[in-house]
Amino acid sequence: TEIMLPLTEIKALLRDRNLAEVARQTGVHRNTIYRLMHGAPKPSYVTVDALSTYLMRDYLAPSNAGRAA
């Protein structure tokens, strides 16, 4: 994607999510997401891009349109 969420924002948005489901929907291994959430020093661009795309798509979905207010 052209725009990616910052890593701190990705971590915050993933905090209350089912990581196994996020892994299934993003193609990023659950252990990779877990390591990212617990301080992995340098996640790959592909990992950050996949999670950012998933979170932005989920956040901007029509069913969540009023969530930002």
Side-chain angles (χ1 to χ4, degrees), residues 5 9 13 17 55-69:
L5 295 170
E9 185 73 11
L13 290 170
R17 298 194 183 240
L55 291 165
M56 287 192 301
R57 181 183 63 230
D58 186 56
Y59 187 76
L60 298 175
S63 64
N64 294 326
R67 196 163 100 179

Side-chain angles (χ1 to χ4, degrees), residues 5 9 13 16 18 22 29 32 40 44 46 49 53-56 58-59 62 64:
L5 295 170
E9 185 73 11
L13 290 170
D16 296 328
N18 179 327
V22 173
H29 196 281
T32 300
S44 74
V46 173
D49 184 50
T53 299
Y54 165 78
L55 291 165
M56 287 192 301
D58 186 56
Y59 187 76
N64 294 326

Side-chain angles (χ1 to χ4, degrees), residues 14 18-34 50-51 54:
L14 288 175
N18 179 327
L19 298 186
E21 181 61 21
V22 173
R24 188 183 70 75
Q25 292 197 28
T26 62
V28 176
H29 196 281
R30 183 172 48 100
N31 291 345
T32 300
I33 298 171
Y34 180 86
L51 293 172
Y54 165 78

